[in-house]
Amino acid sequence: MIAALVFDLDGVIVDSNAMHVRAWERYLAMHGRPLPPHPGSFIFGRHNDEIVRALVGDHLRPEEVKAHGAAKEALYRQMMRPVLREHLVPGVVEFLERWSHLPLAVASNAERANVEFVLEEAGLQPWFRVVLDGGQVLAPKPDPAIYREAARRLGVAPESCVVFEDSPAGVAAAQAAGAQVVGLLTTYRELPGVMLAVRDFRDPELEGWLRAQMGGCGTRRG
């Protein structure tokens, strides 16, 4: 039986991956470095410190890694702010309202500033009882720590959570935590191993699947 819903941020609540790539391209150009081919393999589903070391250099001291990451994310927020609402994953606002009778959480590898930016600017903060970012656990996804911690803070077992993810690393983390996983196909064409894969939150199959997991009970407004 489902007791809680847990959401990744990038690619699940906000379709931000293309903007992250553009921000990295602009940031690297400012430092005289090109964006490598197939940048998604360096960026999507990874912790920011890993991305900085992959794109800027693995010789960097920890404080330099943090500085580069913070500067790039500030650039991303600057670029995203005027168009944020246009980049929300279709149907997510209405979905959160329909399922607000369950405890909801965000669990993301993203920087805290980015998580707060998206939730506050989009007016989504009130829906979430728990908000976790990549700095609040020792190991980022694909380690299951963030999903186990989200379940703990919600006061439910990980096995009773449905996690919404868009990346293989996130799917692996949620599965290792013992949660059921719904894949959002915003970033990858396929997400092997998920219980259900949908394009966005308007997919009618999603509501039917969730009701089935709850023993046929319908949604209600909180």
Side-chain angles (χ1 to χ4, degrees):
M1 187 72 70
I2 296 172
L5 305 180
V6 186
F7 301 77
D8 183 31
L9 184 77
D10 292 301
V12 172
I13 292 175
V14 58
D15 194 357
S16 56
N17 291 318
M19 189 69 78
H20 275 295
V21 172
R22 288 170 56 193
W24 269 115
E25 183 177 28
R26 186 179 298 183
Y27 184 78
L28 291 172
M30 292 164 54
H31 293 272
R33 300 179 67 90
L35 189 70
H38 310 295
S41 62
F42 294 89
I43 297 171
F44 301 151
R46 303 180 71 181
H47 190 272
N48 219 35
D49 288 359
E50 295 179 274
I51 301 170
V52 169
R53 292 191 182 279
L55 296 181
V56 182
D58 60 8
H59 62 283
L60 297 171
R61 299 189 302 273
E63 60 271 23
E64 293 175 316
V65 170
K66 296 294 183 186
H68 278 292
K72 178 268 167 182
E73 298 309 337
L75 177 61
Y76 158 77
R77 293 191 296 275
Q78 177 186 332
M79 295 169 64
M80 180 62 94
R81 181 168 278 108
V83 295
L84 174 62
R85 290 187 178 272
E86 301 169 27
H87 282 74
L88 294 179
V89 171
V92 67
V93 175
E94 296 81 4
F95 182 85
L96 292 172
E97 183 178 5
R98 286 195 302 273
W99 289 88
S100 61
H101 58 288
L102 291 181
L104 308 179
V106 170
S108 171
N109 273 351
E111 301 290 300
R112 186 71 180 185
N114 283 2
V115 177
E116 292 178 347
F117 161 73
V118 170
L119 298 184
E120 291 174 6
E121 291 284 324
L124 302 179
Q125 186 79 45
W127 298 119
F128 294 104
R129 187 177 302 181
V130 170
V131 176
L132 293 174
D133 61 80
Q136 292 177 276
V137 291
L138 292 177
K141 304 171 192 177
D143 190 279
I146 196 165
Y147 284 123
R148 288 174 176 161
E149 180 64 11
R152 187 189 71 80
R153 294 194 187 194
L154 289 171
V156 301
E159 294 78 11
S160 65
C161 293
V162 171
V163 169
F164 295 86
E165 266 290 353
D166 73 305
S167 72
V171 170
Q175 289 176 330
Q180 301 179 69
V181 189
V182 172
L184 272 291
L185 302 179
T186 54
T187 307
Y188 295 88
R189 293 182 179 180
E190 296 181 350
L191 286 172
V194 298
M195 301 291 291
L196 176 70
V198 296
R199 172 54 55 188
D200 56 44
F201 290 96
R202 301 173 302 185
D203 191 319
E205 191 175 357
L206 174 58
E207 298 285 340
W209 182 84
L210 285 171
R211 288 195 297 272
Q213 307 314 302
M214 297 187 71
C217 297
T219 56
R220 65 176 178 84
R221 295 181 185 274

